[in-house]
């Protein structure tokens, strides 16, 4: 069983920065959290869920076009934590942000259907 808990959301002004955290718990000793690829998705009311970033088991990363150059995903395998550093925030970044995990997601893509373990989300609000 994989459990994910997000934290770090809040309200910031446009141009500011915010760092989100996701704490992962992976119960099966055969498949530690370090074996998973981990991602961030976001969704606002009335819009489809959008892929933000993914970090694969080998450390490679892929970002959605709307956040490329502004957001950075990272992981700390020793703590079973992963992070999303958000810079130069814009009002359109306002959304509920979810962390997700998968054993073998597709390479170079952010499809929600590839991910089977999800957190409950943390709200990010960016004011102009």
């Amino acid at each position: 069983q994989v459990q994910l808990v997000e934290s770090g959301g809040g309200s910031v002004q446009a141009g500011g920065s915010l760092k989100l955290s996701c704490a992962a718990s992976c119960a099966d000793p055969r498949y530690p959290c370090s074996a998973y690829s981990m991602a961030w998705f976001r969704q606002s009311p009335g819009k489809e869920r959008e892929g933000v970033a993914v970090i694969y088991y080998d450390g490679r990363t892929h970002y959605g076009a709307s956040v490329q150059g502004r957001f950075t995903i990272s992981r700390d395998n020793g703590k079973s934590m992963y992070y999303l550093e958000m810079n130069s925030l814009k009002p359109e970044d306002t959304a509920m942000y979810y962390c997700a995990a998968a054993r073998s997601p597709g390479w170079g893509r952010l499809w929600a259907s590839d991910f089977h373990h999800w957190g409950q989300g943390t709200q990010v609000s960016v004011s102009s």
Side-chain angles (χ1 to χ4, degrees):
Q1 183 179 7
V2 177
Q3 295 183 330
L4 305 171
V5 180
E6 304 95 333
S7 63
S11 299
V12 297
Q13 295 186 19
S17 299
L18 197 64
K19 186 175 183 178
L20 306 183
S21 300
C22 182
S25 297
C26 305
D28 191 337
R30 297 172 298 177
Y31 304 106
C33 290
S34 60
Y36 288 83
S37 297
M38 310 182 84
W40 290 94
F41 290 80
R42 65 187 184 185
Q43 187 169 28
S44 56
K47 296 184 178 180
E48 297 181 358
R49 186 160 296 191
E50 176 187 18
V52 176
V54 57
I55 184 165
Y56 299 102
Y57 74 95
D58 63 358
R60 295 185 179 184
T61 59
H62 175 72
Y63 296 89
S66 64
V67 306
Q68 181 72 47
R70 298 190 298 123
F71 292 9
T72 302
I73 188 171
S74 62
R75 65 193 300 164
D76 184 338
N77 288 333
K79 297 181 178 180
S80 296
M81 298 282 294
Y82 72 101
Y83 309 95
L84 184 69
E85 179 70 34
M86 303 182 291
N87 302 121
S88 301
L89 283 163
K90 305 174 181 179
E92 51 263 45
D93 294 319
T94 295
M96 185 74 75
Y97 283 71
Y98 301 89
C99 55
R103 287 291 309 280
S104 57
W107 290 93
R109 71 191 194 191
L110 284 159
W111 293 5
S113 59
D114 286 348
F115 293 82
H116 299 150
H117 307 282
W118 294 83
Q120 293 301 305
T122 186
Q123 179 67 42
V124 172
S125 299
V126 184
S127 59
S128 60

